[in-house]
Amino acid sequence: MRKEDCYLLGKITRRHGLAGNVILKLDTDQPELYNKLESIFVEINGLLVPFFIEKSSWSKSDALNIAFKNSTEALVDQSLGKDVYLPLSTLPKLSGKQFYYHEIIGYDILDENDKDCGVIRSVNDQTAQTYFITNLDGKEVVIPMIKDWIIEVNREDRFIKMQLPEGLIDVFLVPSKKDE
């Protein structure tokens, strides 16, 4: 399994109890989708290694207590602190204005008048306000990801149409008087 064919599910944060269980902290806003995991891929030394799950239960609303099949102390030690992945093929298909962050990389952002606002290079969800980072005319442009601003997500033509506040893009493209 290649990392490019997978998405990050979470991280194994610590041991749980004495029976060789671990805690998997999920990085998702829909943890209920992962009630019945049969296997996961753990990144060890740059490779995705399959780990098969014997049983799991909820530790918290976003953390699973997992027991691996054929678990050993060495196996548990190898998994601690490691990122966990699942194949992209396991994600449910989204439609309408819903999207996964990984699927929109490379999409164009257009305003309501079809004016180009850049190509999405990445999505930053590590702050209070999630935002798109785009490249427009060689400059980095930051566009807040506000659901009410999204008019259309076109998967066929690979663009997101947004109703943006007047002057938002100019903040990044037009030099200020101080810069002159």
Side-chain angles (χ1 to χ4, degrees):
M1 183 63 58
R2 299 175 333 153
K3 200 169 174 179
E4 303 82 48
D5 301 326
C6 295
Y7 64 96
L8 179 68
L9 176 62
K11 181 177 225 131
I12 296 177
T13 57
R14 61 183 175 85
R15 291 177 178 273
H16 182 79
L18 301 173
N21 293 8
V22 295
I23 298 294
L24 169 59
K25 174 89 165 83
L26 300 174
D27 183 16
T28 177
D29 52 359
Q30 294 181 301
E32 65 277 2
L33 295 177
Y34 304 98
N35 279 334
K36 306 251 189 272
L37 288 175
E38 294 178 10
S39 64
I40 55 176
F41 289 92
V42 179
E43 185 177 21
I44 299 174
N45 297 329
L47 298 173
L48 294 184
V49 179
F51 279 64
F52 297 94
I53 297 173
E54 187 173 306
K55 62 181 177 179
S56 66
S57 60
W58 290 103
S59 172
K60 293 182 181 175
S61 63
D62 64 347
L64 283 171
N65 177 357
I66 293 178
F68 295 125
K69 287 183 181 174
N70 305 318
S71 183
T72 64
E73 286 296 313
L75 190 71
V76 170
D77 286 343
Q78 279 188 314
S79 71
L80 293 176
K82 301 294 195 278
D83 287 337
V84 172
Y85 294 85
L86 285 178
L88 287 171
S89 60
T90 64
L91 284 173
K93 296 284 183 218
L94 297 180
S95 60
K97 295 186 207 176
Q98 293 182 312
F99 53 84
Y100 295 112
Y101 295 165
H102 70 270
E103 80 174 301
I104 58 164
I105 303 301
Y107 276 37
D108 291 308
I109 292 192
L110 306 175
D111 70 9
E112 64 270 20
N113 299 315
D114 292 329
K115 183 179 175 202
D116 185 20
C117 298
V119 176
I120 300 173
R121 284 193 355 239
S122 62
V123 175
N124 185 332
D125 64 350
Q126 302 301 309
T127 58
Q129 173 63 58
T130 301
Y131 55 87
F132 299 113
I133 299 173
T134 70
N135 184 12
L136 180 62
D137 299 332
K139 298 199 176 176
E140 185 175 273
V141 176
V142 175
I143 300 173
M145 189 188 312
I146 297 174
K147 289 181 182 178
D148 292 343
W149 292 6
I150 297 174
I151 299 168
E152 174 187 1
V153 176
N154 186 315
R155 287 171 173 78
E156 189 173 306
D157 295 325
R158 298 179 52 84
F159 69 81
I160 296 176
K161 188 176 282 195
M162 298 183 74
Q163 183 176 359
L164 300 174
E166 189 174 328
L168 175 70
I169 302 302
D170 293 338
V171 169
F172 299 97
L173 300 181
V174 178
S176 70
K177 295 201 186 295
K178 194 178 193 180
D179 292 339
E180 293 175 347

